[in-house]
Amino acid sequence: MEANERDIYDVTIIGGGPAGMYAAFYSGMRAMRTKLIEAKEELGGFMRTYPEKMIWDVGAVGPVRCEKMIEILEEQARTFDPTIVLGQEMAHVNRQEDGIFELTSKTGERHYTRTILLCAGRGMTQVQKLDIEGANRYELTNLHYTITSLARFKDKRVLISGGGDSAVDWANEIAKLAKQVIVVHRRNEFSAHEQPVEQMKATATIMTPYRIFRLHGAGDQLESITLEHAETGELVRIEADEVVVNHGFDRDFGALLNWGLAKEDYGLTVDQRMRTNISGIFGAGDFITYGSKVRLIAGAFNDAVLAVNSAKLYLDPAASDMAGVSSHNERFNEKNKKITQEQMK
């Protein structure tokens, strides 16, 4: 393809979670021509797995349900009208002779860009289901791997299996309206943050170290669960109206890890300016790791700012180190006038 036939962007963001969406906004502040590509058919990334959860730890926002947070982030991401492509998973990258990257999707679409920002989050996640005979029989009734409505747990006896942040957060949310919450974990210690764990212990019945051993039900309705003590093998059978399983997710990053990028056990290796080992490719969010990495939504925003600034300097070494703050950034002049006029009506 001739150079003048390519539609070339300054930055192409791969991944539409919080890091990718904020990067799309911030690159607009830096007057960069931006494209965002998401493998799924909607933006939000891993946040889509817990739409009902309340988010408290994003500065100046909250408490807010996750589905609302996604809505706010998407609206912000579209501020400067980036090109957004959904339903395309990237397979190959090739740096052409003139330094332009050619990205090719699994279905053959091609994208051209001067820089790449990888915001793949936790990848194409797949929930870890119970490896117990007959478990799939109850998945359409009262065995849950994700929660889309808290109302169904009102006045019910709910068993939650898991020890991470998701399990503990759901226990605390469900405890507000359930008759009883029983939390089962195969270890004595929980890996979730300390304060939510203390809150859970004050409101839920804790059974550790136990794991789900067998399920009992009538037809497609789960009625009781046999638990096995992880150390003694003792079996205990308890009744439950609803069962929630949070055993984590299998992560699949597709072909991204085959691009020659340096990586560690948890994510791509970047430096403190979000630069990968390949010149012109940067990273942000849960997909990356570095010494002081913070795995929070708020941390993803900071990563995105650093990565976009590095991409801008890569394209124009004479550019300022960062965008002007929004209160003085000329990119907002017309938008501020419009908002002011609407408020005065």
Side-chain angles (χ1 to χ4, degrees), residues 130 143-144 147 150 153 157-175 178 180-186 190 200 204-208 210-212 225 227 238-247:
L130 284 177
L143 172 61
H144 313 279
I147 295 174
L150 288 169
F153 301 106
R157 193 178 195 208
V158 183
L159 182 143
I160 299 175
S161 178
D165 288 309
S166 290
V168 172
D169 288 346
W170 281 130
N172 289 330
E173 289 291 328
I174 293 172
Q180 182 185 14
V181 172
I182 304 162
V183 179
V184 176
H185 184 40
R186 59 181 176 170
F190 290 84
M200 175 190 67
T205 301
I206 309 300
M207 297 190 68
T208 61
Y210 280 91
R211 54 180 169 240
I212 296 177
I225 305 94
L227 304 176
I238 60 175
E239 295 181 352
D241 302 309
E242 306 280 347
V243 175
V244 178
V245 175
N246 283 128
H247 291 174

Side-chain angles (χ1 to χ4, degrees), residues 327-339:
S327 57
H328 295 85
N329 192 311
E330 62 181 16
R331 295 282 284 165
F332 292 96
N333 288 347
E334 291 302 317
K335 298 180 185 297
N336 287 338
K337 288 180 183 178
K338 183 178 179 180
I339 292 172

Side-chain angles (χ1 to χ4, degrees), residues 243-261:
V243 175
V244 178
V245 175
N246 283 128
H247 291 174
F249 294 81
D250 294 321
R251 301 185 298 158
D252 180 8
F253 294 109
L256 297 183
L257 298 182
N258 299 325
W259 289 5
L261 294 155

Side-chain angles (χ1 to χ4, degrees), residues 40-54:
K40 296 181 180 179
E41 294 294 342
E42 58 185 356
L43 299 178
F46 190 71
M47 295 171 73
R48 290 286 179 187
T49 64
Y50 48 91
E52 285 279 323
K53 273 192 181 180
M54 295 297 292

Side-chain angles (χ1 to χ4, degrees), residues 62-163:
V64 61
R65 292 202 180 279
C66 186
E67 58 187 350
K68 182 62 177 178
M69 176 69 74
I70 295 171
E71 180 184 325
I72 295 169
L73 281 169
E74 181 170 350
E75 182 179 359
Q76 185 181 46
R78 295 180 182 275
T79 300
F80 298 104
D81 299 318
T83 297
I84 296 180
V85 178
L86 301 176
Q88 287 191 27
E89 182 180 347
M90 293 299 101
H92 306 288
V93 63
N94 174 51
R95 193 196 293 267
Q96 301 185 322
E97 291 184 2
D98 60 359
I100 299 299
F101 290 103
E102 179 187 64
L103 290 163
T104 306
S105 74
K106 290 181 70 173
T107 48
E109 295 88 354
R110 297 182 181 183
H111 307 270
Y112 298 92
T113 184
R114 294 181 174 86
T115 64
I116 298 171
L117 176 46
L118 297 172
C119 300
R122 303 190 188 190
M124 301 288 284
T125 55
Q126 183 67 38
V127 68
Q128 292 184 7
K129 295 187 176 184
L130 284 177
D131 186 18
I132 294 177
E133 183 180 357
N136 60 341
R137 181 189 317 161
Y138 309 111
E139 290 178 7
L140 297 178
T141 53
N142 58 340
L143 172 61
H144 313 279
Y145 296 105
T146 59
I147 295 174
T148 57
S149 173
L150 288 169
R152 70 172 298 124
F153 301 106
K154 182 175 175 57
D155 299 327
K156 292 184 179 180
R157 193 178 195 208
V158 183
L159 182 143
I160 299 175
S161 178

